[in-house]
Amino acid sequence: MKHIGVAGLGNMGRGMALSLQRGGFTVSGYDPSAAATESIAAEGVKVFASVAALAGAVDVLILSLPTSDVVEAVVFGAEGLLAGAKPGLLVVDTTTADPNSTRKVAAALAEKGVRFIDAPVSGGPKGAATGTMTMVLGGAADDVAAVTPVLEAMSTKRVHVGPVGAGHVTKLLNNLMCGAHLIVAGEAARIAEAAGLDPQQIFEGINAGSGRSGVTQVNYPTWIFNDAFNSGFTMKLMRKDLRLAMGLLSELGTSAPLAGEVGRLWAASDKTVADGEDFNRIVHFAEK
């Protein structure tokens, strides 16, 4: 597996492609954006005219796309993945996607002898560019083992969580919990201020106890307390992930009242926190 393709060359895909290139792989790509392809071509990455052409030329194809709808269009389109893929190709989908769509795509690819792993990522554009992302992997153990040297060039931590679809379920649950932590941490900060205390000092105490989380330990000092709000992940993307998580809960019929309220609050925040804002801005949302 020496020739790697990347379909989707936005902030995340571009970073992955360059990390793979630094890792010693031959890297090619595709993106409908002329600006994206010109930028990556300047870095020595060969650009193909279609996903079909790219899929027919590479050993592994990384998908870095925004939604399940886009993934399906890229897979099933006239010049898409299925039209060009050869048996033995291994597809790694890093999109945070609908698990049902993921299984549908994987089944269609399997009929053509194409292997599939769902591998949603954490770490944002910086993690993609530096090869330090975290990946949760859904797929056959043999496929995960086969593609591990490729994934090692893009990530510092990988966890195989089950069969195809398990990666996307895990990612939705992770983002659901992150969304909940952001809301409750925002409330804790407001409570601390109302009590006449410094939230930064209070969070130092919380981070020494059992109430700590990734939000209090990483998000607050990195993007919130300093008013940076430049994580590279938007409210629009997080709302999309929370909608997918709510769809999963509805489909499964699982009792999860707190999770449901988290999803409702994120949806309600669109009236005052714009889609383009950094997702950490949710900490300032207080429903009237």
Side-chain angles (χ1 to χ4, degrees):
M1 293 186 178
K2 294 297 184 182
H3 191 180
I4 315 301
V6 180
L9 298 168
N11 288 336
M12 294 297 293
R14 184 179 193 279
M16 291 182 215
L18 295 179
S19 290
L20 288 163
Q21 190 178 62
R22 287 196 308 273
F25 295 96
T26 299
V27 183
S28 300
Y30 168 81
D31 196 285
S33 164
T37 55
E38 288 171 8
S39 174
I40 204 73
E43 299 287 349
V45 173
K46 182 178 179 180
V47 175
F48 279 73
S50 69
V51 176
L54 179 63
V58 299
D59 305 311
V60 176
L61 180 58
I62 310 292
L63 303 182
S64 179
L65 304 168
T67 66
S68 293
D69 288 344
V70 177
V71 170
E72 291 195 22
V74 164
V75 171
F76 298 114
E79 291 293 317
L81 204 166
L82 272 175
K86 298 175 182 178
L89 175 68
L90 203 160
V91 175
V92 179
D93 182 14
T94 67
T95 311
T96 298
D98 178 350
N100 288 326
S101 175
T102 297
R103 296 184 189 104
K104 171 185 172 182
V105 166
L109 293 175
E111 290 181 2
K112 196 166 181 178
V114 175
R115 297 171 287 173
F116 182 93
I117 292 172
D118 51 307
V121 297
S122 299
K126 181 179 179 180
T130 57
T132 57
M133 300 185 300
T134 294
M135 311 180 82
V136 285
L137 311 173
D142 288 349
D143 294 341
V144 171
V147 81
T148 291
V150 177
L151 304 184
E152 285 176 341
M154 302 192 299
S155 60
T156 52
K157 187 171 185 179
R158 296 155 301 281
V159 183
H160 184 199
V161 292
V164 167
H168 284 145
V169 170
T170 303
K171 179 63 172 177
L172 294 182
L173 294 178
N174 177 83
N175 284 14
L176 170 61
M177 293 182 72
C178 179
H181 295 166
L182 280 164
I183 287 173
V184 75
E187 293 180 354
R190 287 195 293 276
I191 293 167
E193 288 178 339
L197 302 172
D198 180 354
Q200 293 195 48
Q201 286 184 297
I202 297 304
F203 275 33
E204 287 180 17
I206 289 171
N207 285 335
S210 59
R212 67 187 182 275
S213 69
V215 165
T216 61
Q217 292 181 306
V218 178
N219 295 48
Y220 259 88
T222 306
W223 299 301
I224 300 172
F225 280 139
N226 60 5
D227 287 325
F229 292 103
N230 60 354
S231 71
F233 193 66
T234 64
M235 290 291 295
K236 180 178 181 178
L237 290 173
M238 189 62 160
R239 286 188 182 114
K240 181 265 291 184
D241 293 352
L242 268 291
R243 285 195 300 271
L244 289 174
M246 294 303 101
L248 181 65
L249 294 182
S250 177
E251 174 191 339
L252 297 174
T254 305
S255 176
L258 180 56
E261 180 64 3
V262 170
R264 188 192 70 77
L265 288 169
W266 273 86
S269 70
D270 68 354
K271 298 178 181 63
T272 55
V273 189
D275 275 350
E277 293 281 0
D278 188 89
F279 84 114
N280 289 289
R281 291 282 186 189
I282 193 69
V283 299
H284 295 152
F285 173 66
E287 191 172 43
K288 303 299 182 183

